[in-house]
Amino acid sequence: MVRYITPILATVVGIIMLISAINLPKSNLGNPNGPMYFPLLIASILIISGIVYFYQEFKARGNDFADFRALRIGKSPLYLLVSLILMLIYTVLFERIGFLYSTILFLAGLLFLLNGRKKWMSNIIIAVVFSFVTWYAFGTLLQVSLP
């Protein structure tokens, strides 16, 4: 039964997002349905992914389910804990210093955690370039206001 938690949760969250997106208020500027397109897309992908994942897990129901045991081996618990701490710091910093700087710090922290210090140059380049591209895409191309 444990193997079905994630696909069921993904499907339920997708359905809730779908209902919420449909109930978004109409926009006064431009396309009145514009604000609902992206959430509808994400909700649809989440629902489809959840259903496909559920089907795959249902097919593999006779196989050993060792995913939870793998989390307790090696550095996985440390990576999980540090990742959660970085996410909490990111949420605190997001409103205070804005999207761009908090995202650079968050991605750099995750990349240093996963790749180590030896790849410091690529970690920094990836964190900065990804953050700027995302910031530009949302702020300029999609005209979404970011903090």
Side-chain angles (χ1 to χ4, degrees):
M1 186 62 189
V2 173
R3 70 182 334 133
Y4 301 121
I5 292 173
T6 303
I8 290 171
L9 189 63
T11 306
V12 168
V13 168
I15 291 169
I16 292 169
M17 278 183 66
L18 183 73
I19 293 167
S20 298
I22 290 170
N23 291 322
L24 280 172
K26 303 288 185 195
S27 174
N28 293 331
L29 300 171
N31 184 350
N33 294 322
M36 80 170 59
Y37 292 146
F38 188 69
L40 282 175
L41 175 69
I42 298 298
S44 301
I45 290 171
L46 198 53
I47 292 169
I48 292 168
S49 299
I51 292 169
V52 169
Y53 187 24
F54 184 86
Y55 175 72
Q56 289 174 342
E57 289 299 326
F58 185 75
K59 273 184 15 180
R61 68 187 173 276
N63 299 344
D64 184 33
F65 188 65
D67 291 346
F68 287 118
R69 280 180 280 189
L71 288 175
R72 295 183 294 214
I73 300 171
K75 293 185 178 182
S76 295
L78 176 67
Y79 288 168
L80 185 60
L81 180 65
V82 174
S83 297
L84 289 171
I85 291 169
L86 285 171
M87 285 183 232
L88 288 172
I89 293 170
Y90 180 63
T91 58
V92 169
L93 291 178
F94 190 82
E95 283 292 326
R96 293 195 170 110
I97 64 174
F99 170 82
L100 185 60
Y101 299 120
S102 61
T103 304
I104 290 171
L105 292 173
F106 173 69
L107 286 178
L110 277 180
L111 289 169
F112 274 100
L113 174 69
L114 299 175
N115 295 337
R117 287 186 227 139
K118 290 181 181 177
K119 297 184 179 180
W120 66 272
M121 182 63 86
S122 64
N123 292 343
I124 292 173
I125 289 172
I126 290 169
V128 170
V129 169
F130 178 83
S131 299
F132 269 101
V133 167
T134 306
W135 174 75
Y136 179 77
F138 278 94
T140 304
L141 300 178
L142 297 175
Q143 297 179 352
V144 173
S145 175
L146 295 171

